[in-house]
């Protein structure tokens, strides 16, 4: 069961530089507007690239780029019938029929078509590669299991056929919110009539041009955006984006479903001066990691904190100073996981006996609120619970090292993560391991792949903002060879096989056996060190209605078109 808790507002604050929340949006506004802030940058329209997944694109655009499903507050993929209908075709092989609503049209007048599904599949399947994948996709989960898509360019119907034996369990999450990007824009950029014909014909030259645009063509720079590249298929569309006025989303006149309750939502991403925006009444909904910023006084606001579906963790490089698994185990051994949970993992409440947020997380492959978790978690036993300097020293010696310096990167400023790194540094120093804080405002997990840091502190998939789902797909696939979010470069053939098998089975006994075997390997290889379910904070004006906190990858903005601010 998903555990939800109301925590004391006084315990939310943890950083310097107080932010005082004093008022709601000005009643003199000509256009009804809601201010929304979250703890990530918005520098792309494409949430599916490696850096796009690590941005706030999914939180900003979940009601701009609508798909056949959306991620609800419990972490499950829920059907969105506005875009159309989905049905499973009877047969031995998983086959899914997608029917796009006849009225479904982008804000630039172009109809939504099966072309959009074909582009999503091509980009996220890993199918197109030379010496490296052409598309810089964050993950191929599910899409790599699709054998083909039957689509006539411009048609409203698509038949998705999965490979034999690859009945992907989480198929309902495919082609969901922020997965479908405007294929007609990519076709125009590549100089072709449509993307379907070259993709299905495997025309490498044209697909390369499509991929080049998909990878970088949807970059967003405040003050310099091209709205022609950014048509919407949701209740909101982008109107403007500047550092001074934020990312302005307005009601999409071409939207065919129920119109949004509020005509305008202004998104204020990480890096915004929250103190100033709070003082002038620009903020109505704030969605941040607990303790990341000091929210100051919350009079007139309701604060909710609850554990996320994402797991706070360290992701280690498998190159450089941590190339040897013994070196990674040495670092893990000196980290006080239990103390970190007690002091930073659940501020303000007594941990419950079971479920999300109830303790240190001891598995990377199954969620703490699943039936399998208690048994799988026994794999680690009492190891890596507290700082064990003797074990750290033995592992260092096994790695042939007397000392290590480990640079830990994360997107800053973030007061809670700064405290985590500080605690790690204090405990590990006695073992000869120097932990350095390598955070920066423009940090991305890709820095680990580039060798600029030795570890990333973030949530599932090394993501800096909200992450996770009930299916734990991002967490699992970020350990698979060749996946974009596997920024540490970890590779183990047996783990790859286990992840592939977990993706297509819902048999509890099989899941238990596979996850237990996998965790035995992972606690030895130590590509990452799970800490706890990341606590999330949602602060909402008392005048707001229908804001439902969503501690998953979707964030609080999952239903922003239903938000209402009563003045």
């Amino acid at each position: 069961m998903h555990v939800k808790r109301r925590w004391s507002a006084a315990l939310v604050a943890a950083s310097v530089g107080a932010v005082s929340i004093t008022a709601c949006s000005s009643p003199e506004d000509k256009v009804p507007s809601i201010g929304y802030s979250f703890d990530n940058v918005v520098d792309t329209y494409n949430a599916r690239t490696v850096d796009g997944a690590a941005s706030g694109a999914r939180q900003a655009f979940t009601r701009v780029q609508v798909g056949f499903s959306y991620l609800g507050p419990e972490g499950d993929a829920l059907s969105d019938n506005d875009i159309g209908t989905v049905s499973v075709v009877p047969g031995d092989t998983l086959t899914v029929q997608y029917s796009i609503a006849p009225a479904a049209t982008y804000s630039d007048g172009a109809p939504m078509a099966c072309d959009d599904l074909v582009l999503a599949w091509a980009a996220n399947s890993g199918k197109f590669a030379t010496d490296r994948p052409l598309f810089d996709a964050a993950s191929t989960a599910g899409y790599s299991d699709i054998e083909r898509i039957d689509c006539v360019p411009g048609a409203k119907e698509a038949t998705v056929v999965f490979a034999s034996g690859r009945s992907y369990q989480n198929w309902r999450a495919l082609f969901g919110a922020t997965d479908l990007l405007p294929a007609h824009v990519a076709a125009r950029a590549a100089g072709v009539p449509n993307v379907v014909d070259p993709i299905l014909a495997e025309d490498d030259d044209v697909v390369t041009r499509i991929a080049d645009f998909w990878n970088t063509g949807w970059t967003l720079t405040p003050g310099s955006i091209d709205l022609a590249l950014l048509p919407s298929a949701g209740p909101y569309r982008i109107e403007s984006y500047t550092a001074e006025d934020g990312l302005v989303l307005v009601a999409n006149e071409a939207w065919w479903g129920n119109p949004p309750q509020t005509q305008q939502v202004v998104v204020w991403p990480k890096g915004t001066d929250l103190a100033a925006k709070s003082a002038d009444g620009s903020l109505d909904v704030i969605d941040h990691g607990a303790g990341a910023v000091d929210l100051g006084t919350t009079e007139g606001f309701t604060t909710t904190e609850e554990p996320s579906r994402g797991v706070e963790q360290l992701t280690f490089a498998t190159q450089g100073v941590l190339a040897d698994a013994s070196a990674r185990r040495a670092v893990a051994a000196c980290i006080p996981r239990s103390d970190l949970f007690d002091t930073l993992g659940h501020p303000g409440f007594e941990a419950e006996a079971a479920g999300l947020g109830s303790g240190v997380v001891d598995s990377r492959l199954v969620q703490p609120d699943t039936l399998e978790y208690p048994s799988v978690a026994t794999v680690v036993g009492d190891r890596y619970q507290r700082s064990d300097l003797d074990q750290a020293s033995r592992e260092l010696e096994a790695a042939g090292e007397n000392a290590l310096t480990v640079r830990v990167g994360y997107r800053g400023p973030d007061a809670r993560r700064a405290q985590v790194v500080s605690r790690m540094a204090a405990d590990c120093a006695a073992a000869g391991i120097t932990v350095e804080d390598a955070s920066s405002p423009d940090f991305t997990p890709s820095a680990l792949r580039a060798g600029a840091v030795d570890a990333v502190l973030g949530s599932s998939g090394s993501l800096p903002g909200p992450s996770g789902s009930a299916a734990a797909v991002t967490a699992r696939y970020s350990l698979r060879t060749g996946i974009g979010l596997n920024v540490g470069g970890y590779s183990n053939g047996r783990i790859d096989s286990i992840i592939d098998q977990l993706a297509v089975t819902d048999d509890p006994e099989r899941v238990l056996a596979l996850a237990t075997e996998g965790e035995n390997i992972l606690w030895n290889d130590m590509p990452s060190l799970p800490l706890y379910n990341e606590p999330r904070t949602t602060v909402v004006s008392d005048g707001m209605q229908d804001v439902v906190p969503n501690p998953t990858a979707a964030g609080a903005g999952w239903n922003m078109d239903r938000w209402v601010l009563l003045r």
Side-chain angles (χ1 to χ4, degrees):
M1 183 170 68
H2 189 193
V3 181
K4 295 186 177 181
R5 305 174 180 87
R6 178 67 53 86
W7 292 352
S8 168
L11 292 164
V12 176
S15 77
V16 297
V19 178
S20 176
I21 302 173
T22 59
C24 304
S25 298
S26 170
E28 293 85 23
D29 288 349
K30 294 181 180 179
V31 177
S33 182
I34 291 173
Y36 172 38
S37 170
F38 51 75
D39 54 342
N40 214 335
V41 299
V42 181
D43 53 12
T44 179
Y45 199 54
N46 187 351
R48 293 293 305 186
T49 64
V50 174
D51 286 343
S55 77
R58 186 163 189 173
Q59 292 79 58
F61 301 129
T62 190
R63 299 306 291 160
V64 174
Q65 303 166 5
V66 175
F68 284 93
S69 65
Y70 57 90
L71 199 58
E74 302 299 323
D76 297 309
L78 306 176
S79 296
D80 190 338
N81 295 324
D82 283 327
I83 193 174
T85 59
V86 181
S87 59
V88 176
V89 179
D92 294 334
T93 300
L94 178 60
T95 302
V96 184
Q97 181 74 35
Y98 292 84
S99 298
I100 300 171
T105 304
Y106 282 97
S107 56
D108 62 359
M112 286 195 76
C114 60
D115 306 43
D116 302 321
L117 281 74
V118 171
L119 176 61
W121 167 64
N124 295 287
S125 65
K127 179 179 178 64
F128 294 95
T130 51
D131 57 331
R132 60 176 180 80
L134 296 182
F135 294 90
D136 185 31
S139 177
T140 63
Y143 289 103
S144 61
D145 294 315
I146 295 173
E147 184 175 88
R148 72 176 194 274
I149 296 182
D150 298 332
C151 162
V152 176
K156 292 282 189 177
E157 305 283 335
T159 302
V160 175
V161 182
F162 288 76
S164 177
R166 296 303 302 169
S167 295
Y168 182 62
Q169 291 295 301
N170 199 38
W171 64 267
R172 291 172 182 81
L174 301 179
F175 308 109
T178 70
D179 282 14
L180 297 180
L181 289 158
H184 66 286
V185 173
R188 185 171 68 232
V192 293
N194 64 78
V195 302
V196 176
D197 290 334
I199 287 172
L200 298 188
E202 300 184 15
D203 185 330
D204 287 344
D205 289 341
V206 176
V207 174
T208 296
R209 296 203 300 272
I210 294 170
D212 288 344
F213 176 79
W214 190 89
N215 291 338
T216 62
W218 277 301
T219 298
L220 296 179
T221 302
S224 180
I225 63 172
D226 183 354
L227 291 177
L229 302 177
L230 311 172
S232 163
Y236 287 108
R237 62 175 175 83
I238 296 177
E239 182 179 66
S240 62
Y241 188 19
T242 64
E244 297 78 16
D245 298 322
L247 173 64
V248 180
L249 307 179
V250 296
N252 176 12
E253 302 87 344
W255 173 243
W256 58 95
N258 292 328
Q261 294 294 308
T262 299
Q263 291 297 300
Q264 180 173 287
V265 174
V266 180
V267 175
W268 297 104
K270 190 177 182 72
T272 298
D273 185 342
L274 294 185
K277 294 304 172 188
S278 171
D280 68 15
S282 297
L283 295 179
D284 304 297
V285 181
I286 303 173
D287 180 14
H288 280 251
V293 294
D294 186 347
L295 302 179
T297 175
T298 54
E299 183 179 356
F301 284 71
T302 299
T303 298
T304 302
E305 293 201 9
E306 54 190 317
S308 171
R309 282 284 178 185
V311 175
E312 192 80 350
Q313 62 183 315
L314 272 179
T315 300
F316 296 119
T318 54
Q319 60 184 356
V321 297
L322 297 182
D324 193 309
S326 295
R328 300 193 293 272
R329 291 195 298 269
V331 177
C334 67
I335 291 174
R337 288 202 304 150
S338 293
D339 288 346
L340 288 174
F341 170 73
D342 289 341
T343 56
L344 297 168
H346 66 122
F349 71 95
E350 193 68 30
E352 296 185 7
L356 297 180
S358 63
V360 171
V361 173
D362 287 329
S363 174
R364 306 158 184 84
L365 299 175
V366 293
Q367 292 270 22
D369 60 346
T370 60
L371 292 174
E372 299 84 10
Y373 177 80
S375 295
V376 174
T378 62
V379 167
V380 67
D382 291 332
R383 297 174 297 159
Y384 305 110
Q385 298 299 312
R386 292 159 292 278
S387 181
D388 188 334
L389 301 183
D390 289 338
Q391 181 187 353
S393 296
R394 290 193 298 270
E395 295 288 4
L396 267 184
E397 184 178 355
E401 301 285 350
N402 294 319
L404 282 178
T405 297
V406 179
R407 300 160 297 170
V408 178
Y410 59 92
R411 180 167 286 155
D414 186 314
R416 177 171 52 81
R417 285 175 176 155
Q419 290 183 66
V420 170
V421 174
S422 178
R423 284 293 309 278
M424 291 176 180
D427 281 48
C428 290
I433 298 173
T434 300
V435 176
E436 295 181 348
D437 189 317
S439 63
S440 69
D442 57 355
F443 178 85
T444 66
S446 297
L448 186 63
R449 187 165 55 186
V453 295
D454 307 299
V456 174
L457 179 60
S459 194
S460 297
S462 303
L463 302 182
S467 73
S469 67
V473 169
T474 297
R476 290 175 182 171
Y477 274 81
S478 63
L479 294 165
R480 199 187 187 289
T481 302
I483 296 297
L485 286 182
N486 182 357
V487 290
Y490 176 65
S491 181
N492 182 298
R494 182 54 188 157
I495 289 296
D496 293 347
S497 177
I498 287 171
I499 292 169
D500 289 346
Q501 291 177 70
L502 286 171
V504 296
T505 183
D506 60 355
D507 177 2
E509 291 187 4
R510 184 67 178 147
V511 170
L512 175 59
L514 288 168
T516 300
E517 180 188 356
E519 290 297 343
N520 271 302
I521 296 170
L522 292 168
W523 282 109
N524 182 67
D525 288 356
M526 201 64 76
S528 62
L529 180 69
L531 300 175
Y532 43 76
N533 290 104
E534 184 206 6
R536 300 289 302 175
T537 298
T538 308
V539 181
V540 180
S541 163
D542 289 346
M544 288 291 299
Q545 289 188 342
D546 296 325
V547 177
V548 180
N550 189 336
T552 74
W558 71 285
N559 72 333
M560 68 168 66
D561 56 316
R562 300 297 93 198
W563 292 353
V564 179
L565 176 59
L566 300 178
R567 291 175 167 79

